Amino acid sequence: MKIRITSKLLIILILTALVPLLIIGWVGYRSTLNISQIASQANREVAELAMSDSSAALSAELKTRLQALTERHAGDVNEI
């Protein structure tokens, strides 16, 4: 069984069109995975930084409030 020249040419044309498309698709897929990992790590770092900043701000606010309450109670004790 012999394959005609037109069939061979058609197979070659299809392969030359599909192979680069598959390679580009694979590279794009791998790049998407890498970008996803980088974005996920960046989001974690930003969340940790926001949490530490928030904790520091709340701690400072609590210290200020505790200082004010202590001064008020000390003033009440002095009056008594």
Side-chain angles (χ1 to χ4, degrees), residues 27-79:
V27 170
Y29 173 74
R30 296 297 299 169
S31 295
T32 301
L33 289 179
N34 288 338
I35 290 171
S36 174
Q37 290 174 350
I38 291 169
S40 177
Q41 179 64 30
N43 284 340
R44 264 189 240 107
E45 290 173 1
V46 168
E48 288 173 4
L49 181 62
M51 186 174 62
S52 76
D53 286 350
S54 173
S55 295
L58 287 173
S59 178
E61 180 67 28
L62 186 59
K63 286 178 184 176
T64 303
R65 184 174 170 95
L66 184 58
Q67 181 69 29
L69 286 172
T70 304
E71 289 173 357
R72 189 177 75 192
H73 287 302
D76 291 345
V77 169
N78 282 337
E79 287 179 13

